[in-house]
C-alpha cells in the first residue's frame, strides 16, 4: 500500500491507497517542533486505531511547502516504515510541462493539484485551493501548467482583522443571510465570507478569459465545501485532490 503525505503550512494530510482506492485519510497539525519519534508514534497510532498494519506500507510519497520539516519526516519514514520516501521536487516526473519563469518556485502542492485535476477533467482547468493561502492555478488544454495567483487565505485574513483592531472579536466562518447585517459578528462573517466569494468569482472570470475558453473550475482545500455553495464560479469540489495527485505522480515514477 502507498502512504501519501501532503505537508501544508497549517495541516499535514495523510492518506493510504491500495491501488487507486483511498482506504483512509487523516489531518494533523503541522508542528515544526515535533521530533522524528513524535511523528512516527502519532502516525502509527492512527494506523493502529484504524486497524491498518504499518508493515503493509510499501512506499511513501511526500509533497511539502514547509522545507524545515522535511528532514524530520524523511527520517520518520526510514525509522518507522523502513522506507525512503519519494519527495516531490526537481527530478520527479509529473508528466506536466511547467511554464513558470522558475519552475523551482512553484509550490509542490500546486503542481500536485494540477496533475490530479488535469488527469480527471482534462483542460483547460482552473484549480482553486483554499489553504493557508488561497491559490488559483491554470492548466491549458494541452496539459501545461501556466501559473496563477496567490492570495491571503481566509484564516490569515480573519486573524489579521482581529489582531489589528481593538474591538473586533474572533469569529466562526459562516454564510449569513445577506450583507446588510445588524451586529458586529454577523457583519464580520458577511464581509469575510462574501469577500472571499467575490474574490473567487473575480479571479476565476479573469483566468477563464485569459485561457480563452470555458475552463472547468475545481476547488479543493479545507474551506472549499463551505464557500463553493455560495458561488456558481466553482464547478466541482474535490477535497482529496492533492492526495490523488500524489498517487498519480508516484505511479508515474515507480
Amino acid at each position: 500500500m502507498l502512504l501519501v503525505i501532503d505537508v501544508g503550512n497549517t495541516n499535514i494530510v495523510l492518506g493510504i491507497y491500495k491501488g487507486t482506492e483511498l482506504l483512509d485519510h487523516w489531518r494533523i497539525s503541522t508542528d515544526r517542533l515535533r521530533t522524528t519519534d513524535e511523528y512516527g508514534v502519532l502516525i502509527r497510532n492512527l494506523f493502529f486505531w484504524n486497524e491498518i498494519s504499518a508493515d503493509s506500507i510499501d512506499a511513501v510519497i511526500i509533497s511539502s511547502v514547509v522545507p524545515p520539516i522535511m528532514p524530520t519526516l524523511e527520517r520518520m519514514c526510514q525509522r518507522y516504515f523502513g522506507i525512503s520516501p519519494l519527495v516531490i521536487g526537481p527530478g520527479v516526473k509529473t508528466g506536466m510541462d511547467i511554464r513558470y519563469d522558475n519552475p523551482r518556485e512553484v509550490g509542490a502542492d500546486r503542481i500536485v493539484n494540477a496533475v490530479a485535476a488535469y488527469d480527471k477533467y482534462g483542460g483547460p482547468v482552473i484549480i482553486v485551493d483554499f489553504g493557508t493561502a488561497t491559490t488559483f492555478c491554470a492548466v491549458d488544454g494541452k496539459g501545461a501548467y501556466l501559473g496563477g495567483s496567490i492570495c491571503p487565505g481566509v484564516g490569515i485574513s480573519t486573524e489579521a482583522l482581529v489582531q489589528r483592531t481593538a474591538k473586533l472579536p474572533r469569529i466562526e466562518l459562516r454564510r449569513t443571510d445577506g450583507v446588510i447585517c445588524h451586529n458586529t459578528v454577523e457583519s464580520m462573517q458577511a464581509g469575510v465570507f462574501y469577500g472571499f466569494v467575490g474574490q473567487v468569482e473575480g479571479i476565476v472570470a479573469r483566468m477563464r478569459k485569459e485561457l480563452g475558453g470555458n475552463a472547468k473550475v475545481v476547488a479543493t482545500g479545507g474551506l472549499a465545501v463551505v464557500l463553493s455553495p455560495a458561488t456558481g464560479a466553482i464547478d466541482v469540489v474535490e477535497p482529496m485532490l492533492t492526495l490523488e495527485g500524489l498517487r498519480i505522480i508516484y505511479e508515474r515514477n515507480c
Side-chain angles (χ1 to χ4, degrees):
M1 290 194 291
L2 173 67
L3 171 61
V4 297
I5 304 175
D6 171 39
V7 182
N9 288 292
T10 304
N11 292 314
I12 297 175
V13 182
L14 309 98
I16 291 185
Y17 279 93
K18 185 176 182 180
T20 59
E21 179 186 2
L22 180 62
L23 298 181
D24 215 333
H25 61 89
W26 306 271
R27 184 181 297 268
I28 62 177
S29 62
T30 303
D31 187 347
R32 303 183 189 190
L33 299 180
R34 277 197 184 118
T35 66
T36 296
D37 296 322
E38 287 172 327
Y39 273 114
V41 170
L42 175 57
I43 293 172
R44 286 184 71 110
N45 278 340
L46 291 173
F47 287 4
F48 175 80
W49 289 109
N50 289 272
E51 299 182 343
I52 296 172
S53 171
D55 295 333
S56 65
I57 302 300
D58 303 308
V60 182
I61 182 169
I62 304 175
S63 71
S64 174
V65 295
V66 189
I69 208 172
M70 287 308 299
T72 298
L73 292 180
E74 290 184 59
R75 287 194 299 268
M76 181 275 295
C77 291
Q78 292 163 354
R79 179 167 183 174
Y80 285 87
F81 297 97
I83 295 169
S84 294
L86 176 65
V87 179
I88 302 296
V92 173
K93 299 175 185 177
T94 63
M96 180 165 282
D97 179 19
I98 302 173
R99 297 182 185 174
Y100 218 63
D101 291 342
N102 182 359
R104 293 174 181 268
E105 290 180 358
V106 189
D109 56 337
R110 299 175 72 189
I111 298 302
V112 172
N113 285 341
V115 167
Y118 183 77
D119 182 81
K120 188 165 185 176
Y121 299 105
V125 62
I126 297 167
I127 305 98
V128 185
D129 186 353
F130 296 98
T132 305
T134 302
T135 60
F136 299 79
C137 297
V139 179
D140 69 12
K142 296 181 179 179
Y145 179 86
L146 303 180
S149 301
I150 303 174
C151 310
V154 177
I156 289 176
S157 300
T158 306
E159 189 64 23
L161 184 63
V162 173
Q163 290 184 355
R164 298 299 295 269
T165 56
K167 297 181 67 176
L168 295 183
R170 284 184 169 81
I171 58 168
E172 174 189 3
L173 181 66
R174 189 179 67 84
R175 183 178 183 176
T176 57
D177 294 332
V179 294
I180 301 177
C181 301
H182 306 290
N183 61 70
T184 299
V185 169
E186 286 193 356
S187 296
M188 292 175 67
Q189 289 172 329
V192 172
F193 187 94
Y194 291 106
F196 274 90
V197 167
Q199 179 188 82
V200 169
E201 292 173 342
I203 293 180
V204 164
R206 289 174 179 271
M207 277 193 168
R208 276 183 165 148
K209 185 176 180 180
E210 290 180 28
L211 285 168
N214 188 26
K216 195 172 190 71
V217 180
V218 181
T220 190
L223 293 175
V225 295
V226 179
L227 293 170
S228 61
T231 175
I234 294 172
D235 296 314
V236 63
V237 175
E238 292 281 358
M240 297 295 111
L241 189 70
T242 312
L243 300 188
E244 187 67 15
L246 285 170
R247 178 192 65 79
I248 293 168
I249 292 173
Y250 176 80
E251 291 176 353
R252 291 177 179 175
N253 284 269
C254 304

